Amino acid sequence: MELRHLKYFLAVAEELNFTKASEKLFISQPPLSRQIAELEEELQAKLFIRNNKKVELTEAGKYFEKEVKDLFQNLERISLKTKKIAENVSGEFRIAYISSIYSAVISDLIKHLKTQFPYVNFKLFEISTTKQITALEQGKIEMGIIRSPITSPKIQSHLWFQDGFSIVFNKNNVQLKSEKEIADLKDETFVFFNKDYAPHYHEVLLELCAFYGFTPKIIHEANNINSIVQLVKNGLGISIVPSNIAKNNQDSEIGFIELKKVNLYTNVSLITSKEDDSEITQSAVAFLLPQRR
């Protein structure tokens, strides 16, 4: 028994007409009839009742039709699974993220994915939100982790968590005990994200300072959250960072005060292509989403 016998059988079972089935299969009717006869002979079962008026399935034929349909569905599933496995063996999965995401989370994600997809080459890129969106639209990455809203029609966004803000300062240089004293920082120098690198985030920081009644004196800028924290530690200024960073920083020289009075938050989202339904992408998103930071 060959697959062509089964395909021919299904065509006749669907049409219940040998002429129409032969036209559908692009073969002439006599060879089709011979193929069905060979199949019946091999099965030692009559599959069709044939006369001059009509063609009908026998009870055996009805059972055989159902099983063959199930067989072809399984073959399709097996083919797709095999293709995905083949892609995983030699493929790569590229993840971009912003620097203000705690690195341990990224490490845990890669460990998780490596367990499930051991032959995939996972690549990490620290890229700004704006560049991530462009890279995802162009197919240069498979997933991104960003801050700020996303409006691209090609991208699906999954809200991971909302992050507040905290003042970060060097304890040796600045005496700051509570949020009430933040307005006194108007004469201090600040370290901010570069406006061209993260325009939305930069504007939010200015808005935060305005809420507390002053315009920050921005002396230093950087494109990496760790660089900003290091500049603060070195006594080169004060900054405002996501509370997620503050909660995960254990440096005794650095102080953090969360800005609870102002109702400003930044959305941290996972972005993927709307056309991407791969198992790797689904696994990555599912792993991160329950971990609300």
Side-chain angles (χ1 to χ4, degrees), residues 1 71 77 115 126 134 162 264:
M1 187 186 303
L71 173 63
R77 177 185 58 79
T115 300
E126 186 181 301
T134 301
Q162 282 193 316
L264 273 177

Side-chain angles (χ1 to χ4, degrees), residues 87-202:
E87 289 173 347
N88 290 344
V89 168
S90 59
E92 65 179 25
F93 192 84
R94 299 156 295 185
I95 302 173
Y97 63 97
I98 46 177
S99 64
S100 56
I101 294 301
Y102 191 47
S103 59
V105 178
I106 305 298
S107 177
D108 289 344
L109 171 62
I110 298 304
K111 288 179 182 177
H112 167 76
L113 294 175
K114 265 297 183 184
T115 300
Q116 287 193 307
F117 309 97
Y119 302 109
V120 176
N121 181 18
F122 292 98
K123 292 186 176 182
L124 295 174
F125 304 92
E126 186 181 301
I127 309 176
S128 69
T129 289
T130 304
K131 291 184 178 179
Q132 281 192 49
I133 293 170
T134 301
L136 190 57
E137 288 178 333
Q138 295 176 350
K140 294 180 179 179
I141 60 173
E142 278 64 57
M143 189 176 83
I145 302 175
I146 66 167
R147 289 183 188 269
S148 79
I150 172 70
T151 57
S152 171
K154 298 180 180 180
I155 294 176
Q156 183 172 345
S157 178
H158 315 264
L159 177 62
W160 186 9
F161 63 91
Q162 282 193 316
D163 204 356
F165 295 92
S166 295
I167 286 281
V168 55
F169 57 96
N170 184 305
K171 292 180 180 179
N172 297 321
N173 295 349
V174 178
Q175 301 300 314
L176 194 63
K177 296 181 180 179
S178 71
E179 190 176 359
K180 295 178 182 179
E181 301 172 356
I182 291 177
D184 298 336
L185 300 176
K186 61 181 183 297
D187 295 325
E188 298 287 344
T189 59
F190 277 78
V191 183
F192 268 20
F193 262 101
N194 181 276
K195 184 177 181 179
D196 295 330
Y197 182 82
H200 176 78
Y201 189 72
H202 185 92

